[in-house]
Short mmCIF file of all heavy atoms in Angstrom, two decimals:
data_model
loop_
_atom_site.label_atom_id
_atom_site.label_comp_id
_atom_site.label_asym_id
_atom_site.label_seq_id
_atom_site.Cartn_x
_atom_site.Cartn_y
_atom_site.Cartn_z
N GLU A 29 77.29 141.19 105.22
CA GLU A 29 76.20 140.36 104.79
C GLU A 29 75.82 139.38 105.92
O GLU A 29 74.70 139.00 106.11
CB GLU A 29 76.57 139.56 103.54
CG GLU A 29 76.76 140.44 102.30
CD GLU A 29 77.17 139.66 101.08
OE1 GLU A 29 77.38 138.41 101.16
OE2 GLU A 29 77.24 140.28 100.03
N GLY A 30 76.86 138.99 106.73
CA GLY A 30 76.63 138.15 107.84
C GLY A 30 77.94 137.77 108.52
O GLY A 30 79.01 138.04 108.02
N PHE A 31 77.84 137.20 109.73
CA PHE A 31 79.01 136.67 110.42
C PHE A 31 78.60 135.55 111.26
O PHE A 31 77.34 135.30 111.44
CB PHE A 31 79.73 137.73 111.24
CG PHE A 31 79.02 138.30 112.45
CD1 PHE A 31 79.20 137.74 113.68
CD2 PHE A 31 78.13 139.33 112.32
CE1 PHE A 31 78.55 138.25 114.78
CE2 PHE A 31 77.43 139.85 113.39
CZ PHE A 31 77.64 139.29 114.66
N ALA A 32 79.51 134.79 111.80
CA ALA A 32 79.16 133.62 112.62
C ALA A 32 80.21 133.46 113.73
O ALA A 32 81.39 133.75 113.53
CB ALA A 32 79.13 132.39 111.76
N VAL A 33 79.68 133.04 114.88
CA VAL A 33 80.54 132.64 115.97
C VAL A 33 80.23 131.19 116.27
O VAL A 33 79.06 130.84 116.54
CB VAL A 33 80.32 133.49 117.26
CG1 VAL A 33 81.27 133.05 118.36
CG2 VAL A 33 80.56 134.98 116.92
N ASN A 34 81.22 130.33 116.16
CA ASN A 34 81.05 128.91 116.32
C ASN A 34 81.81 128.41 117.57
O ASN A 34 82.98 128.77 117.75
CB ASN A 34 81.62 128.14 115.12
CG ASN A 34 80.86 128.46 113.88
OD1 ASN A 34 79.69 128.73 113.87
ND2 ASN A 34 81.55 128.43 112.72
N VAL A 35 81.15 127.67 118.41
CA VAL A 35 81.82 127.07 119.55
C VAL A 35 81.45 125.59 119.66
O VAL A 35 80.34 125.17 119.31
CB VAL A 35 81.47 127.76 120.88
CG1 VAL A 35 81.96 129.19 120.94
CG2 VAL A 35 79.97 127.72 121.18
N GLY A 36 82.41 124.82 120.07
CA GLY A 36 82.18 123.37 120.19
C GLY A 36 83.46 122.58 120.39
O GLY A 36 84.40 123.08 121.07
N LYS A 37 83.50 121.38 119.83
CA LYS A 37 84.69 120.55 119.94
C LYS A 37 85.70 120.82 118.82
O LYS A 37 86.89 120.87 119.10
CB LYS A 37 84.25 119.05 119.96
CG LYS A 37 85.36 118.06 120.11
CD LYS A 37 84.83 116.65 120.13
CE LYS A 37 85.90 115.55 120.32
NZ LYS A 37 87.28 115.91 120.29
N ASP A 38 85.16 120.97 117.62
CA ASP A 38 85.96 121.26 116.46
C ASP A 38 85.02 121.78 115.36
O ASP A 38 83.80 121.93 115.63
CB ASP A 38 86.77 120.03 115.99
CG ASP A 38 85.93 118.82 115.74
OD1 ASP A 38 84.78 118.97 115.17
OD2 ASP A 38 86.30 117.71 116.10
N SER A 39 85.50 121.96 114.17
CA SER A 39 84.67 122.56 113.10
C SER A 39 83.54 121.65 112.65
O SER A 39 82.53 122.14 112.11
CB SER A 39 85.56 122.95 111.89
OG SER A 39 86.15 121.76 111.38
N ASN A 40 83.65 120.41 112.95
CA ASN A 40 82.56 119.45 112.58
C ASN A 40 81.59 119.10 113.66
O ASN A 40 80.59 118.39 113.45
CB ASN A 40 83.21 118.14 112.00
CG ASN A 40 83.75 118.34 110.62
OD1 ASN A 40 83.11 118.96 109.75
ND2 ASN A 40 84.96 117.82 110.38
N THR A 41 81.95 119.58 114.92
CA THR A 41 81.11 119.27 116.08
C THR A 41 80.90 120.54 116.83
O THR A 41 81.75 120.93 117.67
CB THR A 41 81.83 118.21 116.95
OG1 THR A 41 82.22 117.08 116.12
CG2 THR A 41 80.94 117.69 118.04
N LEU A 42 79.78 121.17 116.56
CA LEU A 42 79.51 122.50 117.14
C LEU A 42 78.33 122.40 118.13
O LEU A 42 77.26 121.93 117.78
CB LEU A 42 79.18 123.47 116.04
CG LEU A 42 80.27 123.77 115.02
CD1 LEU A 42 79.73 124.75 113.98
CD2 LEU A 42 81.50 124.34 115.68
N LEU A 43 78.59 122.92 119.32
CA LEU A 43 77.53 123.12 120.26
C LEU A 43 76.58 124.22 119.75
O LEU A 43 75.35 124.14 119.83
CB LEU A 43 78.13 123.53 121.65
CG LEU A 43 77.28 124.16 122.71
CD1 LEU A 43 76.09 123.31 123.10
CD2 LEU A 43 78.12 124.50 123.92
N LEU A 44 77.25 125.26 119.21
CA LEU A 44 76.47 126.45 118.73
C LEU A 44 77.19 127.13 117.56
O LEU A 44 78.34 127.42 117.63
CB LEU A 44 76.32 127.48 119.87
CG LEU A 44 75.70 128.79 119.48
CD1 LEU A 44 74.25 128.58 118.99
CD2 LEU A 44 75.72 129.78 120.65
N HIS A 45 76.40 127.27 116.52
CA HIS A 45 76.73 128.14 115.35
C HIS A 45 75.78 129.29 115.50
O HIS A 45 74.56 129.17 115.37
CB HIS A 45 76.50 127.35 114.09
CG HIS A 45 76.52 128.13 112.80
ND1 HIS A 45 77.65 128.68 112.22
CD2 HIS A 45 75.51 128.42 111.97
CE1 HIS A 45 77.34 129.25 111.10
NE2 HIS A 45 76.04 129.14 110.88
N PHE A 46 76.32 130.45 115.86
CA PHE A 46 75.51 131.67 116.06
C PHE A 46 75.76 132.60 114.87
O PHE A 46 76.87 133.10 114.69
CB PHE A 46 75.95 132.37 117.38
CG PHE A 46 75.22 133.59 117.69
CD1 PHE A 46 73.91 133.61 118.24
CD2 PHE A 46 75.77 134.89 117.50
CE1 PHE A 46 73.19 134.77 118.55
CE2 PHE A 46 75.10 136.07 117.79
CZ PHE A 46 73.83 136.00 118.33
N ASN A 47 74.71 132.71 114.02
CA ASN A 47 74.95 133.28 112.70
C ASN A 47 74.00 134.44 112.39
O ASN A 47 72.96 134.20 111.81
CB ASN A 47 74.84 132.14 111.68
CG ASN A 47 74.92 132.58 110.20
OD1 ASN A 47 74.38 131.93 109.32
ND2 ASN A 47 75.67 133.63 109.94
N PRO A 48 74.33 135.66 112.80
CA PRO A 48 73.56 136.82 112.41
C PRO A 48 73.70 137.07 110.90
O PRO A 48 74.82 137.15 110.40
CB PRO A 48 74.13 137.95 113.20
CG PRO A 48 74.84 137.29 114.38
CD PRO A 48 75.35 136.00 113.79
#
Side-chain angles (χ1 to χ4, degrees):
E29 293 179 355
F31 68 94
V33 182
N34 297 327
V35 295
K37 181 177 181 352
D38 54 41
S39 60
N40 284 317
T41 308
L42 297 178
L43 163 59
L44 173 62
H45 168 72
F46 179 78
N47 177 207

